[in-house]
């Protein structure tokens, strides 16, 4: 998303200077997300923080899909995207240990990272091909929204399965 964000914002009808300004919100919002996670998430389980985090991207994309021609919606997208991405960085390290324990943590965390790394590597190329093929920005955003919603559902399913496995073991 980050690789194509500025041209995508421009395609939604915004000036380059505004696109750069709004995209620059992502980095600071990642820091804010990490601070919020560290300061307030102790009252929530990592699984719940994960649900909130994984819900952030579909919500952000929905704002962009429905209202992307308005600067406030792009701003909402950039802030939610940054918050979610910042917290996700922490969750990648903490969640496997909570779900599966300390034994074999490295192997499990590595196996879980594989699909995400593949998607991060292939994503920009796939989006570039789609945009070069004259896919409209709105159509692309709808596809990304479907994928993000699918990720949220898969995460929820994985957490449910892990809860069931833990209750069986105890």
């Amino acid at each position: 998303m980050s690789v194509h964000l500025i041209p995508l914002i421009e395609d939604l009808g915004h000036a380059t200077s505004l696109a750069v300004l709004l995209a620059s919100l992502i980095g600071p919002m990642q820091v804010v997300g990490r601070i919020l996670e560290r300061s307030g998430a102790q009252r929530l389980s990592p699984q719940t923080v994960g649900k909130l985090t994984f819900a952030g991207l579909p919500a952000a994309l929905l704002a962009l899909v429905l209202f992307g021609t308005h600067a406030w919606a792009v701003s909402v997208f950039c802030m939610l995207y940054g918050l979610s991405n910042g917290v996700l960085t922490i969750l990648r390290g903490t969640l496997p240990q909570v779900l599966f324990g300390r034994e074999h943590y490295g192997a499990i965390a590595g196996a879980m990272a594989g699909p995400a790394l593949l998607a991060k590597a292939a994503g920009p190329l796939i989006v570039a091909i789609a945009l070069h093929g004259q896919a409209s920005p709105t159509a692309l955003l709808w596809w990304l929204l479907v994928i993000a919603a699918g990720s949220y559902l898969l995460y929820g399913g994985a957490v449910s399965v892990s809860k069931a496995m833990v209750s069986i073991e105890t």
Side-chain angles (χ1 to χ4, degrees):
M1 191 73 203
S2 299
V3 172
H4 299 287
L5 185 59
I6 292 173
L8 186 63
I9 294 171
E10 291 173 327
D11 287 347
L12 291 171
H14 301 286
T16 302
S17 58
L18 182 63
V20 170
L21 174 68
L22 295 176
S24 71
L25 292 172
I26 294 171
M29 292 309 293
Q30 288 176 325
V31 175
V32 170
R34 292 175 188 136
I35 291 169
L36 289 173
E37 198 281 334
R38 287 286 101 194
S39 63
Q42 281 71 24
R43 293 182 289 278
L44 301 172
S45 71
Q47 295 92 326
T48 301
V49 173
K51 286 179 185 176
L52 294 171
T53 301
F54 273 92
L57 186 55
L61 285 164
L62 188 61
L64 204 55
V65 164
L66 296 178
F67 306 107
T69 57
H70 302 281
W72 65 265
V74 179
S75 184
V76 166
F77 167 81
C78 291
M79 288 188 289
L80 285 174
Y81 177 69
L83 282 169
S84 295
N85 206 23
V87 175
L88 191 57
T89 303
I90 294 171
L91 280 174
R92 281 189 203 112
T94 59
L95 200 57
Q97 182 179 351
V98 170
L99 293 178
F100 305 110
R102 292 178 184 223
E103 189 174 340
H104 307 295
Y105 169 79
I108 293 170
M112 290 175 65
L117 291 173
L118 181 62
K120 284 181 182 181
L125 179 61
I126 292 168
V127 170
I129 290 168
L131 289 174
H132 183 70
Q134 303 306 321
S136 74
T138 305
L140 175 64
L141 290 170
W142 274 110
W143 276 109
L144 291 172
L145 176 58
V146 167
I147 292 167
S151 293
Y152 174 78
L153 294 173
L154 288 171
Y155 173 81
V159 167
S160 296
V161 168
S162 72
K163 279 183 184 177
M165 289 173 60
V166 168
S167 67
I168 289 172
E169 291 175 0
T170 57

